[in-house]
Amino acid sequence: MSDFRNRIAVLDYGMGNLHSAAKALEHVALDSHVVVTSDPMEVDRADRVVFPGVGAIRDCMAEIRRAGFDQAVARAIKEKPVLAICVGMQALVTSSEENDGVACLDLLPGKVRYFGSDLRDQDGERLKVPHMGWNRVHQTIDHPLWHGIEQGTRFYFVHSYYVDVDDQSLVAGRCEYGQSFAAALAEGNLFAVQFHPEKSHTAGLRLLSNFIQWDGSL
Amino acid sequence: MSGLAKRIIPCLDVDAGRVVKGVKFVDIRDAGDPVEVARRYDAEGADEITFLDITASHEQRDTTLHTVENIASEVFIPLTVGGGVRTLEDIRALLRAGADKVGINSAAVKKPEFVKHAADKFGSQCIVVAIDAKQVSTDDGAARWEIFTHGGREPTGIDAVAWAKQMADYGAGEILLTSMDRDGTKNGFDLVLTRAVCSEVCIPVIASGGVGNLQHLVDGVLEGGADAVLAASIFHFAEYSIQDAKNYMAERGVEVR
């Protein structure tokens, strides 16, 4: 048993800056204990899990497997609240087009696709890739993690690939960038976001705070 | 309209842990404290913050890391840190301290492959290549810009537009484009340079150098084609707040957060 009522494990598999996620959680997690960990056992022990990710998917997947987080995440999403962020969200589906094709965790059937080098908006204006900056998220379902966050609120994105799930009913929020793509997914205990709540100011902190209080039900 | 907001990025020039611009103009107590200034910008609605470490001595890196750490613990918007980034270890240390992106300038000019290695290692999303460009005269009279290093003193002979393209190909996630001709003049961005780079690269471009009023920010986006605009003095001197800038831009048809 843990001494803390609310033990949050932030998965650290050696890729880039996972510390901003931990810092933002600490900021909103008053009576919680945030543990940045590279130990799958900590994931089993935690009350809730944050699965961040930045960088190239091939390296991320290699490090996730090497750390033993693949099994730990598969176990966690069955029994406790899990928040996956950016490449963490992408890692959940079947495979990614990035790095000439990479097998992912296959916990949700779907593919990670490239925005394309000739992405354009409705007016035919060329759009930059990566999709970098603050864009509107349209909440497509009512969910505890959206509570207190206005419809159409902007979150901070930085990515060149997006998740295309087979079962569109898993989509919890959408964003427009040349096309409509899944900004958030929800299934049972799992909530996944393509944007960075830890970098999305007030709305992002609210989402993290909602996650900390979420019991995993709808 | 893509829905993506154009970003307004205040820049802190920091020397040995103190903001160097604006010292005389802001309340003395908090004048040069980068954490205080960053917090103010965050509260005013800045979309990101850029922290430029102009500390001359490499021994003071620890001060920089400490400051970055303090900002990152309180400010929950993207933070880019540039200045003196020479090795993968420098990048790792900054990311660990809480930077989200790292700006690379002279080290890229010295060894372009450094950008490739950095992007491979940490991902393109956190690699910003900072370009200091100056217009040079040509025989045919066409505008051409060259990369300068060491605060605009050292010419390199490298064409700025071609360089931006090469850096994008090498995995840079973003270009921070500063006109050395305009920097500090308050005469507005070099819009021809901005337009030239923006139309050549497919990654986001931040326009920098020369902002003296809010119309300059609008021009950077609408005429220069920039994805983001960076300014230091107009915000430091509290001539305008970030919110003033956003209101002004929104009224002129620029999508802002």
Side-chain angles (χ1 to χ4, degrees):
Chain A
M1 284 296 284
S2 126
D3 293 329
F4 296 93
R5 277 215 351 266
N6 200 352
R7 196 177 172 85
I8 308 164
V10 178
L11 275 54
D12 180 3
Y13 44 95
M15 294 293 295
N17 180 15
L18 310 174
H19 295 265
S20 52
K23 279 182 165 139
L25 284 161
E26 276 163 8
H27 190 78
V28 295
L30 297 171
D31 62 344
S32 307
H33 186 49
V34 180
V35 193
V36 177
T37 183
S38 50
D39 178 4
M41 297 280 285
E42 279 284 359
V43 178
D44 293 336
R45 222 174 289 150
D47 299 304
R48 56 196 74 235
V49 176
V50 175
F51 183 27
V54 288
I57 191 98
R58 182 191 51 219
D59 296 345
C60 278
M61 288 313 303
E63 292 304 313
I64 287 165
R65 293 203 168 91
R66 200 185 51 78
F69 280 148
D70 47 346
Q71 301 298 323
V73 170
R75 283 192 300 274
I77 63 167
K78 291 192 187 120
E79 50 197 38
K80 59 186 85 169
V82 175
L83 176 64
I85 300 171
C86 196
V87 178
M89 170 183 180
Q90 298 181 359
L92 298 171
V93 301
T94 313
S95 63
S96 172
E97 285 181 2
E98 193 178 356
N99 305 129
D100 303 319
V102 172
C104 301
L105 297 176
D106 199 19
L107 298 172
L108 300 174
K111 273 206 155 47
V112 179
R113 302 187 192 281
Y114 184 48
F115 270 125
S117 48
D118 192 36
L119 191 68
R120 286 171 192 276
D121 68 8
Q122 301 113 296
D123 308 328
E125 276 286 317
R126 196 179 58 142
L127 297 174
K128 302 288 182 76
V129 176
H131 173 221
M132 185 187 283
W134 299 80
N135 208 339
R136 293 188 187 283
V137 172
H138 179 73
Q139 301 162 18
T140 51
I141 60 166
D142 186 22
H143 192 282
L145 266 69
W146 292 135
H147 285 180
I149 298 169
E150 260 181 69
Q151 184 62 277
T153 295
R154 289 182 190 275
F155 287 89
Y156 185 79
F157 289 84
V158 50
H159 62 125
S160 300
Y161 294 80
Y162 64 94
V163 168
D164 183 10
V165 272
D166 295 353
D167 179 0
Q168 290 291 313
S169 73
L170 300 183
V171 175
R174 306 200 71 90
C175 179
E176 293 283 335
Y177 194 63
Q179 66 198 76
S180 169
F181 70 90
L185 302 173
E187 193 195 38
N189 289 321
L190 172 71
F191 200 82
V193 289
Q194 180 60 66
F195 53 82
H196 289 270
E198 76 279 17
K199 287 289 145 191
S200 296
H201 207 238
T202 322
L205 293 177
R206 179 61 196 257
L207 189 138
L208 293 177
S209 156
N210 288 343
F211 173 70
I212 285 168
Q213 290 160 45
W214 183 37
D215 65 4
S217 62
L218 278 177
Chain B
M1 282 287 173
S2 69
L4 185 64
K6 299 296 179 183
R7 289 168 282 152
I8 300 181
I9 308 177
C11 178
L12 312 180
D13 293 316
V14 181
D15 185 6
R18 306 291 289 175
V19 178
V20 292
K21 284 184 192 168
V23 171
K24 287 185 288 186
F25 298 81
V26 193
D27 176 42
I28 298 297
R29 191 162 38 96
D30 300 326
D33 180 0
V35 183
E36 285 297 324
V37 179
R39 209 189 281 144
R40 170 159 68 88
Y41 290 152
D42 176 62
E44 285 178 5
D47 296 312
E48 294 188 24
I49 288 175
T50 289
F51 178 111
L52 190 59
D53 181 20
I54 56 168
T55 309
S57 116
H58 213 67
E59 286 80 68
Q60 278 169 321
R61 285 310 276 183
D62 285 351
T63 312
T64 303
L65 290 175
H66 190 65
T67 310
V68 168
E69 212 159 70
N70 287 339
I71 294 176
S73 310
E74 296 193 40
V75 170
F76 300 102
I77 55 175
L79 174 65
T80 301
V81 184
V85 175
R86 298 190 181 101
T87 64
L88 294 177
E89 203 36 60
D90 290 340
I91 298 175
R92 190 194 315 276
L94 287 170
L95 293 177
R96 288 199 82 88
D100 298 288
K101 308 184 214 179
V102 169
I104 304 175
N105 193 334
S106 328
V109 175
K110 214 175 208 174
K111 190 173 174 240
E113 287 73 25
F114 176 52
V115 170
K116 220 180 230 175
H117 297 151
D120 276 350
K121 186 79 197 163
F122 304 104
S124 291
Q125 84 292 334
C126 67
I127 304 301
V128 180
V129 170
I131 298 178
D132 292 339
K134 221 183 216 182
Q135 192 165 347
V136 289
S137 51
T138 53
D139 299 337
D140 59 3
R144 210 177 77 81
W145 300 265
E146 205 176 288
I147 304 291
F148 279 68
T149 58
H150 298 84
R153 293 189 304 274
E154 302 259 323
T156 62
I158 302 168
D159 178 76
V161 178
W163 176 247
K165 201 168 182 310
Q166 186 187 351
M167 289 296 97
D169 291 343
Y170 276 26
E174 194 168 35
I175 300 285
L176 168 55
L177 178 66
T178 303
S179 159
M180 300 306 292
D181 301 308
R182 297 302 180 93
D183 206 24
T185 65
K186 298 198 158 236
N187 290 334
F189 297 119
D190 182 337
L191 296 172
V192 187
L193 166 68
T194 307
R195 172 57 69 192
V197 171
C198 287
S199 58
E200 199 59 40
V201 300
C202 55
I203 57 174
V205 175
I206 306 166
S208 156
V211 175
N213 62 46
L214 301 182
Q215 185 58 40
H216 291 153
L217 300 175
V218 172
D219 294 343
V221 171
L222 297 183
E223 289 181 41
D227 302 281
V229 285
L230 180 138
S233 57
I234 62 160
F235 297 131
H236 284 314
F237 298 161
E239 287 169 55
Y240 306 100
S241 70
I242 307 279
Q243 198 54 54
D244 292 338
K246 289 196 165 178
N247 294 343
Y248 188 92
M249 292 171 84
E251 281 164 17
R252 280 146 190 88
V254 178
E255 187 147 5
V256 292
R257 174 174 146 247

